[in-house]
Amino acid sequence: FCVMLHHVEERTEVYEGEVERLPSLEEEQPEAKLTVIRPSLQNAKKILVVDDNRNNVRLIIDALSKDQHYLDYVLDGQEAIDRVLAKETLYDVMILDLRMPNVDGFMVASQVRDVFSKEELSIIMLTADQNLDHARRAMDHFDVHGYLFKPSDESTIRLVVRAHLIQQQLTKDLHLLNHALEDKVEERTAELKTALDHLKSTQEQLIQSEKMSSLNLMVAGVAHELNTPIGICTHATNMVATITGELQAVLKEEEQDPETLEFLINDLISNTKALIHSNREASEFVRRFKSTAMDQASGKKKDFFLEECLQDTLVCLSPKFKNTPIKIEVDCEKIQLHSNPGAYSQIFTNLLINSLNHAFPQESPIENPTITVRASIQDQELVIQYQDNGVGVDDTQKIFET
């Protein structure tokens, strides 16, 4: 496919493709016609030549016709503006003469750039003016991509346009790659955000699960431990009711036996003391458990003494250690903290239960099994040391594996 300047003779030229005849260019031979062959190739580059000099137009079209481009031309700046802004043909390149009457190249470039970016339409300026100030002005204000200086031979025209088209294609490919990369980054970012949100949700669930696990241990232990004082309270209450009934019966008699009265009164006092003591014991258990459970559940910071927090935890876990030979030693300074006591209680619970379940196996008893907890302030930092004299861990590299 090509654009050729030929003389109309008796013989007929045969071309493949869609043929359009543009207006003839004035020259010495009036029968000369400019025949434009429209390439059917989808990837053909569309080039518009804008110059008021017909000979310059012919020279450029003859040069570029060898490279299978889709070529158009206009001889007036205003016509170029109308042609490009009509968007009937979306040109890739416009070769634009800088000096034209009425509407010059600067005015054409200005109006074209209001609609088309440099990525959408490239402009190559055509000028015989060697003044570089004009080149800088066009480059700075209208995103002109290059220059062709008149006069230029065919090889120079083809070389400049070909180099520019290669650069244009590379720029478009780069933009496509950048957009693809941005889309990929956005997609990956969205995936990572979703994964992070899922991880945070899972973390929260694990924290809540760990809290509930610690509380369940305490609930089971406290419930078991409360059986004794509540049982004593129930028995003492029944005894008080029975003794009270017997006292009422004795007092109704006309003659009361002093020994019987003394026995019943002493028995009543004894059961009342047992009732009061067991009630206080149960109440203290409930108070300590309630404090520890609320601290773990709420996660709020407050002022507290570390030793009291540890003792409350030991009381709640005492049913677990009650029937074992394990001795628990606590060595804490009078340390007051402003923090989350529930977190400390949970840490102590996990450590103590871990020692209970794994450090002292029943099949190989440890002599004088002991758990030691020490706490102190060193260089304005809280240092807690926890140790037991149990069997230890065989492979410390797997200590955090589930």
Side-chain angles (χ1 to χ4, degrees), residues 36-314:
V36 179
I37 307 301
R38 303 296 190 197
S40 60
L41 298 177
Q42 293 182 355
N43 61 348
K45 298 298 181 180
K46 302 177 181 63
I47 300 175
L48 176 65
V49 182
V50 183
D51 196 324
D52 62 318
N53 188 304
R54 300 172 183 272
N55 291 328
N56 290 335
V57 173
R58 175 173 288 111
L59 174 65
I60 295 172
I61 288 180
D62 284 348
L64 298 180
S65 64
K66 299 179 175 60
D67 294 325
Q68 296 187 349
H69 299 309
Y70 183 107
L71 300 171
D72 269 347
Y73 77 92
V74 294
L75 303 174
D76 177 76
Q78 186 59 51
E79 185 179 355
I81 294 172
D82 296 339
R83 177 76 65 88
V84 173
L85 299 188
K87 299 183 180 180
E88 293 179 359
T89 301
L90 297 177
Y91 296 101
D92 298 292
V93 178
M94 180 167 62
I95 301 176
L96 177 63
D97 186 20
L98 186 62
R99 298 295 184 183
M100 293 184 292
N102 299 324
V103 180
D104 63 11
F106 290 115
M107 297 176 65
V108 174
S110 176
Q111 294 196 40
V112 167
R113 276 289 172 257
D114 289 340
V115 179
F116 293 94
S117 67
K118 63 180 181 180
E119 288 80 16
E120 295 172 318
L121 175 60
S122 300
I123 298 176
I124 299 176
M125 280 295 189
L126 180 65
T127 181
D129 192 348
Q130 300 297 319
N131 188 345
L132 295 180
D133 290 338
H134 294 156
R136 294 191 187 96
R137 177 187 170 192
M139 297 284 283
D140 293 341
H141 293 87
F142 308 117
D143 289 325
V144 172
H145 292 75
Y147 270 83
L148 274 172
F149 289 100
K150 299 186 242 184
S152 294
D153 56 31
E154 179 179 298
S155 60
T156 301
I157 294 171
R158 292 181 65 191
L159 181 63
V160 169
V161 172
R162 186 178 301 171
H164 173 72
L165 288 173
I166 292 174
Q167 181 183 6
Q168 183 189 59
Q169 186 61 48
L170 290 174
T171 301
K172 289 182 178 179
D173 291 344
L174 180 60
H175 281 295
L176 290 175
L177 288 173
N178 285 338
H179 285 306
L181 180 60
E182 289 174 0
D183 293 340
K184 190 67 176 177
V185 169
E186 289 180 1
E187 179 183 352
R188 185 58 178 161
T189 301
E191 292 176 357
L192 290 175
K193 185 178 183 301
T194 301
L196 180 60
D197 292 340
H198 179 70
L199 182 61
K200 288 181 178 179
S201 176
T202 303
Q203 185 182 33
E204 289 295 328
Q205 293 177 8
L206 288 173
I207 291 173
Q208 293 300 323
S209 176
E210 189 67 22
K211 287 181 179 180
M212 293 306 299
S213 176
S214 298
L215 290 176
N216 288 337
L217 287 172
M218 291 185 179
V219 168
V222 171
H224 180 269
E225 192 67 18
L226 285 176
N227 283 336
T228 301
I230 291 177
I232 293 174
C233 286
T234 302
H235 176 73
T237 302
N238 292 333
M239 290 300 299
V240 168
T242 302
I243 295 169
T244 301
E246 293 179 357
L247 276 174
Q248 288 177 341
V250 170
L251 291 174
K252 289 180 181 179
E253 297 177 357
E254 293 181 0
E255 294 183 5
Q256 292 88 15
D257 184 4
E259 292 182 1
T260 302
L261 285 174
E262 184 179 0
F263 173 78
L264 291 174
I265 291 173
N266 289 335
D267 201 9
L268 180 61
I269 292 173
S270 175
N271 282 279
T272 302
K273 288 181 178 180
L275 179 61
I276 294 173
H277 175 76
S278 297
N279 185 58
R280 286 177 177 173
E281 185 179 354
S283 178
E284 180 64 15
F285 255 96
V286 171
R287 185 195 66 77
R288 288 178 179 270
F289 171 72
K290 182 179 179 182
S291 174
T292 303
M294 289 183 64
D295 287 339
Q296 288 198 24
S298 67
K300 294 182 180 179
K301 293 183 178 181
K302 67 177 186 179
D303 293 329
F304 68 98
F305 287 98
L306 182 63
E307 186 175 8
E308 291 182 3
C309 175
L310 177 55
Q311 292 297 342
D312 287 346
T313 304
L314 291 175

